[in-house]
Each structure stands twice: as C-alpha cells, then as structure tokens.
Amino acid sequence: NNWISIFGGSAWQWDTRRCQYYLHNFLASQPDLNFHNPAVQDAILQTVQFWLDLGVDGFRLDTANYYFHDKLLRDNPARVLKPGETDKGANPYGWQQHRYCKSQPENLGFLARLRQLLNQYPGTTTVGEIGDDDGVTRMAEYTRGTDRLHMAYSFDLLGTDQNADHFRKVVGQFEAQAADGWPSWALSNHDVARLATRWGGAQPDPRMLKAVATVQMTLRGSPCMYQGDELGLTEAVLRFEDLQDPAGIAMWPKLPGRDGCRTPMPWDARAVNAAFSSGKPWLPVDPAHLAKAVSVQEASSDSLLHFYRQLLRWRKLHPVLIHGTLRLHAGNVQVFAFERQHEGTTLLCVFNLSASVASWDLPEGTAPVALDGQVLTGAQRDGTVLTLQPWAGWIARI
C-alpha cells in the first residue's frame, strides 16, 4: 500500500530470506511487530513483567499509538493543506492523513491489558508518547478512565507556536475531552529543535524561558522536562560529518535531523567534553553551550538553572498546583490565564506570552491577592486591570 515511513520512503522493506515485505513505521532496522497476533502481545507483556519483577517504577512507551495497523492494509488518504499552509513540507510522511497505519481502535485493548498488569505492582506508572494527526484528542483518549495509560504527552506544544491562543486551544481541547485524564505537558524532547531556539531564535530572551517554564509547572498534569532546557541550551549546529541521526543524514540539508537537540549535556565548561565523557562523545559538544554549562550557572544566583530549582521547590509548596482542577479564562493572543482549584484553595495564573506589554481584565467579583513567593515578576495591578510586562506572570489567590 502507500504507507510512508516517518523517516521518508516506503514503510515496507523487502526481506530476501522470507520473500516478503515487512512493515517499518520508522527505520528499516526497526521492524514493526504484529500486535494483531495474541502471542506477540503475550510476549511483550511477559517482557514488561520481567522488568516489573526487577523493581522498575514504570515505562515510557515510545510511539504508544503505533502498535496496531489496519488489518485490511488500506491506503492512507492524502492530507489537505490547512489555511495558511503553502506546502506539505520536505518529508513525504506529512503528505498523508495517517488513518490506517496507526491509532487503531485495537490499541486500546492492548493498553488495557498493560494497565491491568501494572495495577498488580502498586506505585508503577506509564507515560506514553503520542504522535498523531490530532495528538491532543489521542492523548485524551489514551489517558481517559482507569484502564489505559497513566499519562501521555503529544507534540502539540513541541512546534513553533508559543502564543497564548495556541496554549489555550491545546489545553482547552484536552480538558474538554478528558477531564479525568492526566496529561504530561512537554515543551521539548529529543525529536524537535530545542525550546530556546524554536521559540526564541538565535538570541532567546531569558524572560521567555522563565515564563514558559512557569506555565509548564502550573498546568494540570505532570511536567516533562527535557535535559538542557533548565540551562537554556540552544539548538546545536553540526557538520554533516558529525551527524548520527539516520533521518538527518538521509534528508540533509533540507531537514538536518534531530542531532542538534541531542548533543552532550555541558556539566563543566573547563573540562574535556564539558565533563560529559572522558572519551569521544557520540556527538560533539557545542562550543556555544559552554557559557551555559552547569558549572557557570551554579555560580550565578540569577541563572536559569537556579530559577528552575526555585520553581520546582515553589510548586511543591502548593498542593493545588499538583492536584487541582483547571479552568481556562478568556484571553487574547498575548495573555494565557487559568485557575487551579483544590480543597478550597483557588489560584489565578496569568501569563503574558509575548515580547510586548499586555493588559488583562481581572474576573468580576474576585479580589485576587498576589501569592507570596512569586517566581515571575513584571506584573502590576491597578483596580481590575492587570498590566504585564513582556513575558511576565502573576499568580494570585482568589
């Protein structure tokens, strides 16, 4: 059929020993298992149980919606351009609606079997990666109720849109579809350009990095941080000769791949390979990252690293941010606002997700009082009007 590998080209590879084609949604060296076969499911669950018996705390499930394919192997339809799009991109994977190669209804039955197994091991958990044409809907579907994934994240906040309207749309869609589901909001991972570059360009504003981190830590769900974001690392620029990512090598230079976000963590700016390894690392350390190394930021009290630590400590002090419900407020393209509520405590969270001054009218009939220990600054209240400097935030009790 016409299914495409996510790395380009046909998803089918000829095997001369079997004289058959096999399916690979990803690399040809990653054949897909046939989950329609009950014996395959049993073997996977036996492997899961092996690790549970060894005492692991849980599993991060890669591409959790790809396990089943359409039994009839029907062709995927072509993707229609959205308003404002001029082309479908350089990767042919984006030229189709992936209706039949993934996200099949049988997947939920397997996840129920997986959850049933994990329920026998109290305190264990699952987090699923969802890659779908409608990631939020699938993310909600896969965490709804008590017989599916414990939590999941999608790619909907891993693109280039960081304005308030986009956050409101994504979070609102999840809350509307799975109020009892549990999201794991991620702003970066190993498959996309680093947050600082993706949203901040060549010279990202430190205030922006602090603002989006605070949004992530105040949303309902479990925040998922990607290594290096707490340092504000930018996307590394690599020579073709240094690439390791098969997708980047195959699609260079149009799509240089994912190695730019996978370079070594810079621990010590003065050490060989930034103290990542005494040998040659699999990717080179980006010289631009040395100024943001842990050793440098440890010595600066106003560094992004110290801010993240303060932010995490602050979050733990407020159970409402961990357990509370979420209700969105109306806003605009600049202002993202919502309430968190738990056991009689209500917090109002307002963020200016733009590089310009913004204003926001406080809800009628409320008398919010700024929360002690504010992690963000730059907001000023005048009666019922809140004025927020670029990338400012205001968190208050109601």
Side-chain angles (χ1 to χ4, degrees):
N1 60 21
N2 71 347
W3 296 353
I4 300 290
S5 162
I6 199 168
F7 295 128
S10 174
W12 298 96
Q13 178 73 22
W14 180 253
D15 182 84
T16 55
R17 291 163 298 181
R18 298 176 62 98
C19 287
Q20 289 179 314
Y21 286 93
Y22 66 86
L23 176 67
H24 61 94
N25 277 300
F26 297 89
L27 296 173
S29 58
Q30 298 172 303
D32 276 62
L33 298 177
N34 181 11
F35 274 75
H36 288 291
N37 185 337
V40 170
Q41 294 188 40
D42 292 344
I44 293 294
L45 294 176
Q46 288 168 11
T47 304
V48 170
Q49 186 168 10
F50 170 84
W51 289 104
L52 289 169
D53 287 339
L54 286 180
V56 301
D57 293 317
F59 299 88
R60 182 264 188 189
L61 303 177
D62 196 53
T63 62
N65 57 310
Y66 279 78
Y67 301 152
F68 284 82
H69 61 274
D70 176 49
K71 269 190 173 182
L72 300 179
L73 302 178
R74 285 170 284 190
D75 283 345
N76 284 326
R79 184 173 72 84
V80 179
L81 288 175
K82 298 178 181 178
E85 285 186 319
T86 56
D87 62 63
K88 297 178 182 178
N91 188 343
Y93 189 79
W95 300 0
Q96 293 182 352
Q97 300 177 49
H98 300 283
R99 186 176 298 171
Y100 297 116
C101 59
K102 59 183 177 181
S103 301
Q104 299 303 293
E106 297 95 329
N107 218 45
L108 295 175
F110 174 74
L111 293 180
R113 293 190 65 191
L114 177 66
R115 180 64 176 264
Q116 187 178 29
L117 175 58
L118 265 79
N119 286 345
Q120 300 173 35
Y121 296 80
T124 58
T125 193
T126 53
V127 54
E129 176 199 38
I130 306 296
D132 194 77
D133 297 343
D134 188 354
V136 176
T137 294
R138 199 69 58 205
M139 181 177 156
E141 179 186 26
Y142 277 35
T143 61
R144 190 182 300 127
T146 59
D147 63 345
R148 302 177 186 185
L149 296 175
H150 293 83
M151 53 186 158
Y153 73 89
S154 70
F155 283 73
D156 293 84
L157 293 180
L158 300 180
T160 56
D161 293 325
Q162 91 278 10
N163 63 64
D165 280 342
H166 183 67
F167 269 85
R168 195 160 35 249
K169 174 186 174 183
V170 170
V171 175
Q173 185 179 348
F174 183 88
E175 291 294 326
Q177 297 185 14
D180 64 338
W182 195 255
S184 178
W185 296 115
L187 304 181
S188 279
N189 73 2
H190 62 281
D191 287 324
V192 298
R194 282 203 172 271
L195 171 68
T197 301
R198 192 161 26 93
W199 287 356
Q203 298 293 329
D205 189 331
R207 297 175 299 177
M208 182 272 287
L209 298 177
K210 292 180 179 181
V212 296
T214 310
V215 170
Q216 185 182 27
M217 299 300 167
T218 50
L219 288 172
R220 187 176 76 86
S222 297
C224 184
M225 292 167 51
Y226 183 55
Q227 57 86 11
D229 279 355
E230 74 277 28
L231 303 179
L233 296 186
T234 51
E235 183 80 352
V237 178
L238 301 172
R239 301 180 307 163
F240 176 80
E241 293 77 13
D242 292 324
L243 296 185
Q244 299 287 346
D245 181 14
I249 294 171
M251 299 187 189
W252 176 275
K254 186 74 173 180
L255 298 174
R258 301 162 295 175
D259 287 326
C261 66
R262 298 178 174 187
T263 54
M265 183 79 166
W267 295 104
D268 189 339
R270 300 157 296 185
V272 174
N273 297 322
F276 180 81
S277 170
S278 58
K280 181 182 178 181
W282 73 311
L283 289 169
V285 175
D286 186 342
H289 289 176
L290 297 179
K292 299 178 183 296
V294 174
S295 62
V296 175
Q297 299 204 31
E298 288 276 19
S300 175
S301 60
D302 64 347
S303 70
L304 185 62
L305 176 60
H306 280 295
F307 176 82
Y308 262 89
R309 290 173 174 166
Q310 177 193 0
L311 179 61
L312 290 167
R313 287 194 297 266
W314 172 82
R315 181 177 185 268
K316 290 180 180 180
L317 293 175
H318 301 285
V320 63
L321 293 176
I322 300 172
H323 305 290
T325 59
L326 183 144
R327 183 172 73 90
L328 290 170
H329 281 277
N332 51 49
V333 71
Q334 290 179 278
V335 177
F336 181 47
F338 54 89
E339 286 181 16
R340 301 295 309 278
Q341 191 170 46
H342 178 66
E343 294 185 347
T345 299
T346 300
L347 293 186
L348 174 64
C349 306
V350 186
F351 300 96
N352 178 7
L353 299 184
S354 78
S356 303
V357 176
S359 62
W360 191 70
D361 293 329
L362 293 168
E364 292 185 10
T366 63
V369 177
L371 196 65
D372 292 337
Q374 285 275 353
V375 287
L376 286 180
T377 58
Q380 185 174 1
R381 177 184 175 185
D382 184 5
T384 60
V385 177
L386 190 64
T387 302
L388 300 110
Q389 296 301 312
W391 308 112
W394 195 67
I395 300 173
R397 292 186 184 275
I398 296 180

